[in-house]
């Protein structure tokens, strides 16, 4: 069977990670969570004590850090940061350092190194537009800001956080704004992407929808 690349992009909380993971599992192919790399870079930058506003300092810190995906785990200089990168604080830092071209350059290199190896589902903000512009199938997942904030809020509550819903909604809105208005690889609907609005869809239905898009596409080839 031909090697295929599927990209799934969309805003924070659109359900990309869960959906992409399930699609990869159903197809038996590799899953690449690119946001995890930005989150790991945020940990590295904090540990290096850099200013999050400095493109040069952040890029330098990332270039000097080993960021590795090891099965289900993600490591920064050999240290397992899988749980640490999921905190609310790291989400904020990741969104700030993701604006820097020098950081993106380093992380895109890591992402592309996965592309040559095997069939892949890559998930992020720019995987269809910048990282894998020649991907076979591009999906753009969306949902209303309120729905996305609610999903995040429930996740955070489950983890024992006592954050207020309004705070999560405000953060989603400002993260959306940063992600789509930044100069470097802003969040856009990639050319030839299929837009799937998940606001009123169940996870199972979203997965089924994407799998049928993949099937159709493969039958065409
Ligand atoms: O998808 P996520 O919430 O784990 O992503 C964390 C941050 O990284 C988010 O603020 C946007 C940024 N990001 C990015 O700029 N480009 C990507 N391909 C993936 C994530």
């Amino acid at each position: 069977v031909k090697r295929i690349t599927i990209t799934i992009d969309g805003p924070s909380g659109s359900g990309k990670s869960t959906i992409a993971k399930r699609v990869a599992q159903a197809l038996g192919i590799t899953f690449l969570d690119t946001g995890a790399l930005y989150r790991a870079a945020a940990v590295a930058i904090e540990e290096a004590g850099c200013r999050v506003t400095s493109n040069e300092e952040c890029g330098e810190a990332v270039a000097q850090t080993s960021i590795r995906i090891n099965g289900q785990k993600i490591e920064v200089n050999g240290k397992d940061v899988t749980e640490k990168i999921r905190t609310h604080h790291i989400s904020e830092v990741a969104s700030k350092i993701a604006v820097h071209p020098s950081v993106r350059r380093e992380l895109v290199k890591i992402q592309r190194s996965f592309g040559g190896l095997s069939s892949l589902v890559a998930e992020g903000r720019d995987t269809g537009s910048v990282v894998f512009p020649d991907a076979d199938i591009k999906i753009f997942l969306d949902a209303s800001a309120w729905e996305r904030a609610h999903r995040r809020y429930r996740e955070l509550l489950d983890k024992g956080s006592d954050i207020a819903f309004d705070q999560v909604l405000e953060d989603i809105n400002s993260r959306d704004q940063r992600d789509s208005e930044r100069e470097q690889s802003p969040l856009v609907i990639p050319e030839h992407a299929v837009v799937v609005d998940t606001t009123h869809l169940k996870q199972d239905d979203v997965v089924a929808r994407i799998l049928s898009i993949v099937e159709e596409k493969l039958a065409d080839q």
Side-chain angles (χ1 to χ4, degrees):
V1 182
K2 180 182 167 286
R3 197 162 55 74
I4 54 164
T5 302
I6 302 168
T7 61
I8 303 186
D9 292 299
S12 190
S14 56
K16 294 182 307 283
S17 286
T18 317
I19 301 292
K21 216 178 284 175
R22 287 186 55 183
V23 168
Q25 220 161 29
L27 297 171
I29 64 180
T30 306
F31 163 62
L32 174 64
D33 174 357
T34 64
L37 295 172
Y38 286 88
R39 289 166 181 272
V43 171
I45 285 163
E46 275 215 327
E47 282 181 357
C50 305
R51 287 172 297 177
V52 294
T53 49
S54 163
N55 171 49
E56 271 174 29
E57 287 181 21
C58 292
E60 180 76 14
V62 175
Q64 288 178 4
T65 303
S66 140
I67 299 177
R68 279 196 57 217
I69 298 178
N70 186 358
Q72 307 274 34
K73 294 200 155 65
I74 182 144
E75 295 170 352
V76 167
N77 289 331
K79 198 170 70 190
D80 183 354
V81 296
T82 317
E83 274 179 32
K84 183 169 187 185
I85 62 167
R86 297 298 158 195
T87 60
H88 187 67
H89 172 66
I90 289 297
S91 301
E92 287 297 297
V93 180
S95 154
K96 286 176 188 156
I97 57 102
V99 304
H100 299 313
S102 62
V103 170
R104 305 199 70 86
R105 204 177 314 122
E106 292 299 324
L107 297 183
V108 166
K109 265 193 251 166
I110 301 178
Q111 294 165 51
R112 289 200 178 131
S113 70
F114 280 84
L117 298 176
S118 56
S119 287
L120 185 71
V121 179
E123 168 264 300
R125 299 294 189 291
D126 62 345
T127 62
S129 55
V130 173
V131 187
F132 301 113
D134 299 327
D136 305 280
I137 296 156
K138 300 180 185 182
I139 307 286
F140 188 87
L141 281 190
D142 209 353
S144 71
W146 196 91
E147 173 65 23
R148 290 184 286 116
H150 235 270
R151 292 174 188 170
R152 254 302 132 79
Y153 177 62
R154 283 195 299 263
E155 252 173 46
L156 291 167
L157 282 192
D158 282 348
K159 284 186 196 152
S161 160
D162 60 357
I163 195 162
F165 173 73
D166 285 353
Q167 180 66 51
V168 180
L169 181 60
E170 199 181 302
D171 289 347
I172 285 260
N173 280 326
S174 57
R175 220 175 300 158
D176 277 358
Q177 198 172 3
R178 266 201 299 270
D179 287 348
S180 17
E181 290 179 2
R182 68 182 179 214
E183 257 171 61
Q184 300 294 323
S185 311
L187 176 68
V188 291
I189 301 177
E191 221 184 322
H192 309 303
V194 181
V195 179
V196 178
D197 186 335
T198 73
T199 308
H200 304 292
L201 292 181
K202 291 206 187 70
Q203 235 176 52
D204 286 353
D205 299 332
V206 178
V207 173
R209 173 88 208 281
I210 295 175
L211 290 176
S212 80
I213 294 169
V214 173
E215 242 170 64
E216 249 172 60
K217 176 81 187 181
L218 291 182
D220 275 357
Q221 285 180 347

